[in-house]
Amino acid sequence: MPDTLHRTGSITFDHIGKQYSNGVEALSNVDFTIKPGQFVTIVGPSGCGKSTLLRIAAGLSWPTSGKAVVPKTKPGVVFQDATLLPWKTVLQNVELPGKLDGLKQDDYEKKAMNVLYNVDLDKFADSYPGQLSGGMKMRVSIARALSLEPSVMLFDEPFGALDEITRLHMQDELQKIIVNNPFTGMFITHSVSEAVYLGSRVIVMAARPGRVIDDITVPAPYPRPASYRYQPEFQQIVERITNALIKGSAMSDPEHGSPSK
Ligand code: ADP
């Protein structure tokens, strides 16, 4: 039986702002903490600063005001494109971060098999990416990000390019992964229903300037059944977020780069 993996970093945005050198205020007074083991989704329109926030969480960018406290170790990052090497097997793809990090062969092999088992892909260790469905490739990509046991996992709109049915399936798969491998996660999405279905907490953002306009706890425990999407609790939260997004966009003034009075 492989080890259960525990990743328990935290991320704090302490009243942060980010102004780019061209004067764009990408983030203004963003202030929240993702606690150890919490899986938080961030939803908002294009340009509200989601990617900027993710880069700051990854330690690849810095706020121009306030303070961000992020783990010193490398995060696990999952992008929209699974970016697997087609000439390497599933196992070799998942071993790659450990290999590049200079781990001993025994170590990276063990970590890769362990994580493949945890995402239920151990039987496909010797398959090539070209033999897998889009959803399975995405699971390999998640396994690869988990392989170095990062203290936080960052998801940059990973399911955005998948067809709707695969996307719903992946949302269920990700919940299973969360249950089997509790980790601290920050998940960016454009989709309100995806944010609510996946997040134990949803941060809602608006643009110009990029800012937090709502912060909602989603009480349903993981794993949530597909039917949760039809329950009143789910629909009420979706409605609350949708209203916040409509209000937030009406208050953003594209001409002047700040909320209208
Ligand atoms: P999102 O991911 O929500 O679409 P971004 O974080 O990419 O938002 O962008 C927020 C705002 O900052 C946008 O107005 C965008 O044009 C601007 N922006 C992003 N990166 C840069 C950059 N490197 N230089 C200047 N402006 C940027």
Side-chain angles (χ1 to χ4, degrees):
M1 181 74 188
D3 308 331
T4 302
L5 308 167
H6 287 280
R7 300 162 195 85
T8 50
S10 67
I11 298 171
T12 295
F13 302 111
D14 183 0
H15 298 91
I16 67 164
K18 173 82 179 180
Q19 187 160 26
Y20 284 109
S21 50
N22 60 358
V24 170
E25 198 176 0
L27 296 172
S28 169
N29 198 28
V30 171
D31 184 49
F32 67 92
T33 291
I34 302 178
K35 293 193 203 117
Q38 199 175 39
F39 192 83
V40 173
T41 50
I42 316 268
V43 67
S46 288
C48 72
K50 301 184 297 296
S51 306
T52 301
L53 201 59
L54 192 98
R55 283 201 298 276
I56 291 173
L60 299 171
S61 180
W62 294 267
T64 45
S65 61
K67 198 170 119 191
V69 185
V70 303
K72 291 197 170 54
T73 51
K74 252 187 282 176
V77 187
V78 182
F79 300 101
Q80 191 170 97
D81 185 352
T83 63
L84 303 176
L85 302 178
W87 61 89
K88 291 199 180 282
T89 65
V90 164
L91 178 63
Q92 288 165 343
N93 267 283
V94 176
E95 284 175 348
L96 204 57
K99 216 170 169 175
L100 294 176
D101 236 38
L103 297 186
K104 290 199 199 107
Q105 186 170 352
D106 272 6
D107 259 9
Y108 67 69
E109 274 176 9
K110 187 168 167 258
K111 279 187 199 296
M113 266 325 283
N114 190 27
V115 81
L116 280 177
Y117 187 94
N118 273 282
V119 302
D120 204 17
L121 276 174
D122 48 315
K123 290 175 198 71
F124 294 90
D126 298 325
S127 302
Y128 286 87
Q131 300 171 290
L132 306 180
S133 66
M136 287 167 87
K137 279 188 214 160
M138 185 48 74
R139 261 156 67 206
V140 178
S141 167
I142 295 172
R144 186 181 51 188
L146 284 167
S147 68
L148 285 184
E149 299 170 23
S151 52
V152 299
M153 287 282 286
L154 307 176
F155 297 81
D156 193 2
E157 183 99 31
F159 307 152
L162 300 174
D163 65 81
E164 185 64 12
I165 299 299
T166 307
R167 186 172 188 158
L168 297 181
H169 176 63
M170 277 310 301
Q171 292 170 5
D172 290 330
E173 290 295 321
L174 180 58
Q175 292 209 31
K176 276 194 231 158
I177 295 171
I178 293 171
V179 170
N180 291 337
N181 315 264
F183 54 74
T184 309
M186 177 169 158
F187 184 106
I188 282 178
T189 179
H190 275 105
S191 158
V192 174
S193 60
E194 181 166 274
V196 179
Y197 191 62
L198 288 178
S200 65
R201 177 179 173 201
V202 185
I203 302 284
V204 188
M205 294 184 70
R208 291 182 289 269
R211 62 200 189 278
V212 174
I213 54 170
D214 208 349
D215 180 346
I216 304 165
T217 298
V218 184
Y222 298 119
R224 295 163 180 166
S227 59
Y228 180 55
R229 296 190 182 89
Y230 305 103
Q231 288 176 16
E233 176 183 283
F234 181 90
Q235 306 215 334
Q236 277 157 17
I237 298 174
V238 165
E239 194 180 328
R240 172 170 160 183
I241 293 173
T242 306
N243 287 336
L245 288 171
I246 292 169
K247 202 168 148 211
S249 84
M251 285 180 62
S252 297
D253 179 353
E255 295 296 312
H256 300 98
S258 62
S260 55
K261 302 278 168 342

